[in-house]
Amino acid sequence: MPKRRSLLKAFLSGSIAASLLSVFYPVFRFLIPPDKPEASALSVSAGSSQDLAPNTGRIFRFGSRPGLVVRRPDGSLKAYSAMCTHLDCTVQYRPDLQHIYCACHEGHYDLNGVPISGPPPRPLEEYSVQEVGGEIIVSKVS
Amino acid sequence: MATRILHWLEDRLELSSIRRLAVHKEVPVHRFSWAYFLGGAVLFLLMIQLGTGILLLLYYRPSAEEAYESVQFIVAEVEFGWLIRSMHSWSANLLVGMAFLHLFTTFFMKAYRKPREITWMSGVLLLFLMLAFGFSGYLLPWNELAYFATQVGTDIVGAVPLIGHPLMVFLRGGEQVTGATLTRFFGFHVAVLPALTTLLLLLHLGLVQKHGMSVPPKMIGKPYQTLPFFPNVLLRDIMAWYILLAVLVTLCAFLPWELGSKADPFAPAPQGIRPEWYFIFMFETLKIIPSNVLGIEGETLGVVGFGAAALALIVVPFWDYLARRLGRPGLLTLLGVLAVIYMAVMTLVGYL
């Protein structure tokens, strides 16, 4: 009879394993958040262009992420992702330094978004920027 | 290695004493042995509530602006979200139903008699806590039905003499049901009630272990068969839990819990508004009490009556003691039967 017993044991442990799996699989899948489409729009408005004086910057919402638009001292516009490439803090434009600065870990970027000192490993992601009818329109460079 | 770990734990936790307790526990065998599974069933459903509740917390947002949308997100976007949410709602209903059955069987088997008076009282309080969970949880999806049910439910609280109005304002977080009410109910539902439940549950279960299983009065003094709790009864318990889980998942699959439409405080109440089934008998009672009885407002009378009934339920063991001293031991059973019939009839009336 040992054969029958081992068969029964296999059935029993198989059923227990299957029912545990049927409980924990949904739990496991529930724990993983669904993908939310990021910034469904490829271009957004970053506000009026008159209000952005030379040598200032402004943070705007690009989908679910912050963006930074800067009017450089020469009057030209630049837009970047405002997420620091080091640890995702939000960067800011510092008029006194005339470059982009991350306050979390003293990261500095020049006006092309290239890191010049501190921990940031990569340049900021750059967006293309246009002035349309007094509004600043920022779009992703695809 | 495994034995060394076991020895290490044994030295510190004395696990063998727990094992001895489990080995010595015996469960009487008789015609009503099935009633011993009800407490375990309630406990199992409570664990499901705890598990699914924690999961829902990961996505739920307790504000009037986001609550409905977050539940919608859970149901529509999160994988198995519909299942987890439905399980939480369905299991809540099964839990209350099982808790009522557990109450009735312990009542009719007179399991509250000495030395189990405190077990009974903690059990009744736990039942009230379960109802409070049901009431507070009902509002959280912030849908139309929940909004008006809460409006009505808290208004009934407002009918309590003297402290009613302040109590209602406390519950609502203001004069009206608003986002503040939602935040409050969320706090009650996920923090205050679970804390109280944990304390009472530890007391209740500890006492059950301390006193062992109660035996119906007719069998006291006679020899009866027993079954060892470990592993025989425990395995039967687990079988019962499997069946419950199957029933629960079947309900969720075929009748997923509806979300309805978002609450709008500036819209009229929808037709056919009524509370969850376990509050229906109270809801119907309030409907049939005339608006004015001997100069007392009908609603106030009803609320005071429910309060008295709740208190009477808590002190059942002492009633029984008195009834037996007076030589009328059957009186309480009769009252119990009448109460069950009343609740059943009123619930039916509510659905007809």
Side-chain angles (χ1 to χ4, degrees):
Chain A
M1 288 295 116
K3 255 191 175 165
R4 185 180 292 179
R5 164 141 302 200
S6 55
L7 186 69
L8 283 173
K9 269 193 174 166
F11 273 138
L12 182 64
S13 45
S15 319
I16 292 170
S19 52
L20 286 178
L21 192 71
S22 69
V23 169
F24 287 106
Y25 179 71
V27 169
F28 172 72
R29 295 309 297 254
F30 184 90
L31 289 171
I32 301 164
D35 276 336
K36 271 206 261 185
E38 270 186 60
S40 51
L42 278 171
S43 75
V44 298
S45 161
S48 105
S49 88
Q50 273 85 41
D51 297 349
L52 197 64
N55 196 26
T56 53
R58 177 195 293 159
I59 290 170
F60 62 95
R61 289 176 61 99
F62 201 124
S64 57
R65 292 151 177 267
L68 175 69
V69 59
V70 175
R71 193 181 291 280
R72 298 195 280 194
D74 66 5
S76 64
L77 282 172
K78 277 273 190 180
Y80 320 90
S81 157
M83 279 167 76
C84 181
T85 54
H86 173 223
L87 289 171
D88 286 355
C89 284
T90 303
V91 297
Q92 56 183 302
Y93 180 73
R94 282 273 298 265
D96 53 336
L97 302 170
Q98 299 206 349
H99 63 237
I100 298 160
Y101 170 70
C102 178
C104 284
H105 303 100
E106 295 277 333
H108 295 261
Y109 302 84
D110 70 13
L111 285 180
N112 291 311
V114 178
I116 44 178
S117 80
R122 286 185 310 277
L124 293 169
E125 189 190 343
E126 192 170 344
Y127 300 141
S128 71
V129 58
Q130 282 172 307
E131 283 176 84
V132 181
E135 231 182 326
I136 302 170
I137 302 297
V138 177
S139 18
K140 253 189 183 153
V141 187
S142 48
Chain B
M1 188 61 197
T3 38
R4 281 187 60 189
I5 292 173
L6 274 180
H7 277 298
W8 190 91
L9 286 172
E10 173 61 43
D11 283 346
R12 281 148 190 89
L13 301 173
E14 286 188 59
L15 294 172
S16 53
S17 64
I18 299 170
R19 202 179 321 144
R20 266 199 302 280
L21 197 77
V23 166
H24 284 153
K25 189 174 174 181
E26 297 215 312
V27 179
V29 180
H30 53 76
R31 270 174 64 203
F32 303 108
S33 286
W34 54 268
Y36 293 125
F37 293 107
L38 293 174
V42 176
L43 186 64
F44 175 67
L45 290 168
L46 198 60
M47 292 305 125
I48 288 187
Q49 287 309 90
L50 187 67
T52 52
I54 290 170
L55 286 175
L56 291 173
L57 274 180
L58 301 185
Y59 296 104
Y60 177 71
R61 297 175 182 198
S63 78
E65 292 75 32
E66 291 183 303
Y68 181 83
E69 285 77 4
S70 69
V71 176
Q72 210 166 37
F73 179 75
I74 290 172
V75 173
E77 305 279 332
V78 182
E79 281 199 74
F80 291 104
W82 63 274
L83 179 64
I84 302 295
R85 188 209 167 211
S86 266
M87 279 185 79
H88 199 69
S89 308
W90 270 116
S91 166
N93 281 273
L94 290 184
L95 169 60
V96 172
M98 283 288 168
F100 268 116
L101 279 183
H102 184 44
L103 174 96
F104 293 141
T105 52
T106 43
F107 177 82
F108 289 116
M109 300 209 310
K110 312 224 177 280
Y112 50 74
R113 281 187 183 164
K114 188 185 170 185
R116 298 187 176 80
E117 295 93 333
I118 299 174
T119 318
W120 169 269
M121 291 190 284
S122 58
V124 174
L125 291 176
L126 276 167
L127 177 71
F128 294 161
L129 282 176
M130 294 305 117
L131 296 178
F133 266 116
F135 184 62
S136 56
Y138 199 59
L139 180 66
L140 300 186
W142 198 248
N143 57 22
E144 217 178 16
L145 277 178
Y147 177 81
F148 288 105
T150 307
Q151 192 85 12
V152 173
T154 46
D155 191 65
I156 291 171
V157 174
V160 176
L162 297 174
I163 55 163
H165 186 75
L167 201 59
M168 186 191 82
V169 172
F170 165 74
L171 284 176
R172 286 185 180 173
E175 290 285 341
Q176 292 295 314
V177 175
T178 58
T181 320
L182 178 69
T183 309
R184 242 153 228 261
F185 275 36
F186 178 71
F188 296 147
H189 194 79
V190 306
V192 180
L193 295 174
L196 292 174
T197 303
T198 306
L199 288 177
L200 272 173
L201 195 63
L202 285 176
L203 175 69
H204 193 73
L205 295 178
L207 287 173
V208 171
Q209 298 318 309
K210 183 178 161 58
H211 295 139
M213 289 300 160
S214 99
V215 183
K218 277 183 188 158
M219 286 170 50
I220 292 172
K222 291 180 194 162
Y224 56 82
Q225 264 196 312
T226 61
L227 209 55
F229 176 76
F230 188 84
N232 307 45
V233 177
L234 183 64
L235 285 174
R236 285 165 172 78
D237 261 324
I238 292 172
M239 260 348 273
W241 297 345
Y242 255 108
I243 294 167
L244 256 180
L245 187 64
V247 169
L248 184 60
V249 174
T250 308
L251 284 169
C252 294
F254 289 102
L255 301 163
W257 205 264
E258 280 184 34
L259 180 55
S261 48
K262 188 176 176 173
D264 179 1
F266 300 102
Q271 277 293 307
I273 175 121
R274 64 172 162 223
E276 295 253 77
W277 62 269
Y278 42 87
F279 290 123
I280 293 260
F281 75 96
M282 293 196 248
F283 183 71
E284 287 298 318
T285 307
L286 286 175
K287 267 202 214 163
I288 58 164
I289 299 177
S291 62
N292 205 305
V293 185
L294 304 170
I296 305 166
E297 225 178 283
E299 209 182 0
T300 308
L301 200 69
V303 172
V304 173
F306 293 139
L311 199 66
L313 191 62
I314 294 173
V315 297
V316 150
F318 307 106
W319 273 50
D320 180 57
Y321 177 75
L322 274 180
R324 281 197 289 167
R325 286 279 305 263
L326 296 170
R328 307 287 294 275
L331 197 64
L332 196 61
T333 310
L334 182 69
L335 271 173
V337 172
L338 288 177
V340 172
I341 292 173
Y342 178 79
M343 286 167 74
V345 169
M346 281 320 226
T347 307
L348 265 177
V349 167
Y351 278 99
L352 292 179

